Amino acid sequence: MDFSKIIIGVMRWGIWGANHSESNVQKLIETSLEEGLYTFDHADIYGGYTTEELFGNAFSEMKIEREKIQLITKCGICMPSEKKNFPLKYYNYSKEYILNQVDESLKNLKTDYIDLLLLHRPSPLMNPEEIAAAFGILRSSGKVRDFGVSNFSVTQFDLISKYFPQLVTNQVEVSLTETKAFYDGTIDQMMMKKLQPMAWSVMGSYFAEDSERTARIKSVLVDLSKKYSADAAQLLLAFLLKHPAKILPIIGTSKAESIKSLKKSLEIDLTVEDWFTLLEASLGHKVA
């Protein structure tokens, strides 16, 4: 499956963030498509189980063919909310739960199929045979076209893949300030399998914290901004896009102008030296 080179994350579109109206969601969808970004990343829990419905209601009123967009969603986290009376937060990957949650996502998104279903987070109790059985039912019924995982380690990916070899991605946290996936085998595994990893929290902590590390990065970005005629956010995204794994970054913005701006990061080709200058700034020391 060919996903858009930048994926639009919708987590903050609803009550967990901007609390957009349906008309504002439509504007964001329109802007995304105008920029050639047609893949939208959901999870059933976003907005306390309300954001899928917000998106579905908005999109269903637009005169856009369903095949013009791709919908990713995730399941497996049981989270107490006004919509769900769970006693505590936990994970559930029983066949029945997966099937029920997909039916709920289909209803909320007002669609006949999901392009990609991800297991949201690994559970100590997940049974790979039961998960594979659920995936098989969903694929044969046409309700889900492809499957993957999110936040899984190398061995956890292998565990599920052993019973369902057709996994297409692992969506993990990776950014200039969170580089663990470059070293723990997660990205290597995707490359060996010729799969594209997806990255969330792609800005890392750069805009969220004031620390020695972010100060070092900022100092480097000042010079690189001039060199590449780009802002900090575009360069942070370009850092991920430089990687040969062809990482698919998920941008979590809820602003149309930011979608347009971040799309320009696809035009930035950092030199190897500049890439490592950024990495060194993040690590706080020269590479070994």
Side-chain angles (χ1 to χ4, degrees), residues 112-130:
D112 294 328
Y113 66 94
I114 291 165
D115 294 277
L116 175 63
L117 177 69
L118 304 178
L119 305 180
H120 204 156
R121 287 189 178 274
S123 168
L125 295 179
M126 59 188 179
N127 182 329
E129 294 183 8
E130 194 164 354

Side-chain angles (χ1 to χ4, degrees), residues 183 276 279-280 283 285-288:
Y183 302 105
F276 274 97
L279 180 64
E280 181 181 277
L283 297 176
H285 57 75
K286 298 181 185 299
V287 295

